[in-house]
Amino acid sequence: MSTQTIAGAAQASGQYTTEFPLECRDVGRTFLVGKGFFSEKKTLRAVQNISLKVRRGEVLAVVGESGCGKTTLAKMLLGLLQPSSGEIFMEGMPINEVDIRQIARHVQPVFQDPYSSLNPRKTIESIVSLPLKVHNIGDAESQRKRVEEVLEMCEMPKRLVHSYPSQLSGGQRQRVAIARALVMKPEILVCDEPTSALDVSVQAHILNLLQDLRDELNLTYVFISHNLAVVEHLADTVAVMYLGRLIEYGPKDQIFNDPKHPYTRALLDSFLTPDPTQDVPEIAMGRGFPNPLDPPTGCAFHPRCARVMDVCSKVRPEQTTVNGIKLECHLYPPATQQAAE
Ligand code: SF4
């Protein structure tokens, strides 16, 4: 049986073979970037050596400032971008061996901007039913029923089914985007800042809807966000990224109660309100975010770090584990190094 067939059969039967529907092993992604046709191209290392596992039913939040690589990681998890190095596994299968249609049935995105992610010339019914049509699932009548069902799950009034996106509010558009993501009964949603383009007053409603849908449908979420209030509200596990690297990764409660990496600590210090409807203030960490095309040597965070040491600008810290939290910081040397000292 081919890998593709195994993935398809697993989804069709609802029987999955692994506890971890998504896994990254040492995943990296580079881009060649250059301004003009004749200018020298530079290598942008958008994602570097990311290893993580997404447990079935959990909410993994990937956090960090703009430009830290979290959206690139999300695109790779959706099969929209190939890693330059390392491997991504879906249900234990290398994702590059799974047909893109199978990936789409299994993992669906919810994007940041419901204004640009919905076709303005199509009705809501047509937008939500499109994945069923593309994947040839059911006849017209069953597709219509499924669209009604999924819109109801997303608390959209039935009367809006023949409306166009321009006739809806921002919150209603995001509900339509979520309905479209759910229409094929995926196991995993990758949500890339799903509330950040919305008015503060509707953000909490969308977050509560995502929470309810997760409980009702036993969904697994990868939740990309820079908003720590949202992360605290939803996440089970947190992965903190800085300049393409995973610098702290572990259970949310541990990371929020006792952040170890100086960057995570600074992020949390900047997070003043527990109200998920409020935005997070600018992070105060001295110098701004470095140029990803010309990253600092050693630990990339060293020019901004309050606890910087001599070694930090010279040597990149290796990953270590402290009380179940994975970290990259010289304050926490790997066990082998500790033994040698
Ligand atoms: Fe700060 Fe050094 Fe740790 Fe980097 S390695 S976070 S510069 S203490």
Side-chain angles (χ1 to χ4, degrees):
M1 188 185 281
S2 72
T3 304
Q4 179 188 333
T5 316
I6 293 167
Q11 185 181 4
S13 66
Q15 299 297 308
Y16 297 102
T17 52
T18 161
E19 192 184 344
F20 302 102
L22 276 178
E23 181 182 351
C24 295
R25 286 190 205 156
D26 218 16
V27 166
R29 173 71 202 198
T30 56
F31 297 97
L32 277 180
V33 181
K35 277 191 183 144
F37 192 68
F38 296 106
S39 68
E40 195 194 337
K41 298 266 189 273
K42 283 193 159 188
T43 301
L44 172 70
R45 303 185 71 190
V47 167
Q48 300 177 48
N49 308 95
I50 300 269
S51 293
L52 51 80
K53 289 177 171 184
V54 186
R55 195 180 296 277
R56 201 175 304 288
E58 92 171 339
V59 179
L60 168 71
V62 182
V63 304
E65 292 162 278
S66 298
C68 72
K70 49 193 195 305
T71 295
T72 302
L73 179 64
K75 285 184 179 164
M76 288 193 283
L77 294 175
L78 285 160
L80 301 175
L81 263 182
Q82 289 295 318
S84 310
S85 56
E87 262 190 307
I88 295 178
F89 294 82
M90 176 181 287
E91 299 299 341
M93 324 286 178
I95 201 169
N96 56 5
E97 291 177 24
V98 182
D99 183 84
I100 188 74
R101 285 170 174 252
Q102 289 292 347
I103 296 173
R105 292 182 72 155
H106 204 60
V107 187
Q108 278 288 314
V110 177
F111 292 114
Q112 177 175 10
D113 186 358
Y115 296 86
S116 61
S117 66
L118 304 181
N119 187 336
R121 289 186 201 86
K122 301 282 183 191
T123 64
I124 303 313
E125 180 173 34
S126 164
I127 288 168
V128 177
S129 64
L130 184 65
L132 299 174
K133 292 192 173 109
V134 168
H135 289 261
N136 250 331
I137 298 172
D139 56 18
E141 180 56 17
S142 68
Q143 288 173 358
R144 191 187 58 73
K145 278 195 180 143
R146 177 66 186 151
V147 168
E148 267 182 21
E149 185 180 68
V150 86
L151 284 171
E152 195 181 330
M153 269 185 217
C154 295
E155 297 159 13
M156 278 292 288
K158 249 188 195 165
R159 62 185 160 78
L160 295 177
V161 78
H162 300 299
S163 306
Y164 290 86
S166 61
Q167 297 170 296
L168 306 184
S169 67
Q172 286 173 330
R173 286 182 216 204
Q174 197 56 304
R175 285 174 195 274
V176 171
I178 295 168
R180 179 182 56 185
L182 292 176
V183 76
M184 288 201 303
K185 304 182 180 172
E187 160 100 355
I188 306 160
L189 290 191
V190 176
C191 305
D192 190 357
E193 305 268 15
T195 58
S196 61
L198 301 176
D199 285 349
V200 165
S201 58
V202 295
Q203 287 183 7
H205 296 299
I206 296 297
L207 290 175
N208 288 337
L209 173 67
L210 287 169
Q211 182 98 292
D212 292 346
L213 290 169
R214 176 211 178 186
D215 297 343
E216 214 171 295
L217 305 173
N218 196 26
L219 292 166
T220 302
Y221 288 159
V222 177
F223 205 88
I224 310 288
S225 184
H226 72 282
N227 189 330
L228 294 174
V230 169
V231 171
E232 189 178 32
H233 187 65
L234 273 187
D236 301 306
T237 307
V238 175
V240 184
M241 286 184 71
Y242 189 78
L243 269 186
R245 299 194 71 84
L246 194 55
I247 52 97
E248 186 158 5
Y249 170 47
K252 177 202 67 185
D253 289 342
Q254 258 175 278
I255 288 185
F256 270 66
N257 293 334
D258 182 22
K260 294 200 160 30
H261 196 285
Y263 177 64
T264 313
R265 197 169 278 275
L267 274 181
L268 287 168
D269 283 348
S270 73
F271 156 49
L272 297 176
T273 168
D275 179 351
T277 63
Q278 298 296 309
D279 208 351
V280 175
E282 284 296 304
I283 297 158
M285 270 183 266
R287 290 175 53 178
F289 196 72
N291 179 359
L293 283 171
D294 189 15
T297 54
C299 168
F301 185 57
H302 83 258
R304 306 168 80 189
C305 181
R307 301 191 62 186
V308 64
M309 302 173 283
D310 278 352
V311 66
C312 300
S313 60
K314 298 183 185 101
V315 182
R316 194 176 68 212
E318 283 177 36
Q319 191 177 78
T320 186
T321 305
V322 180
N323 298 334
I325 303 279
K326 292 198 184 333
L327 287 157
E328 281 190 1
C329 174
H330 286 304
L331 294 169
Y332 308 94
T336 46
Q337 203 173 316
Q338 285 172 26
E341 282 168 2

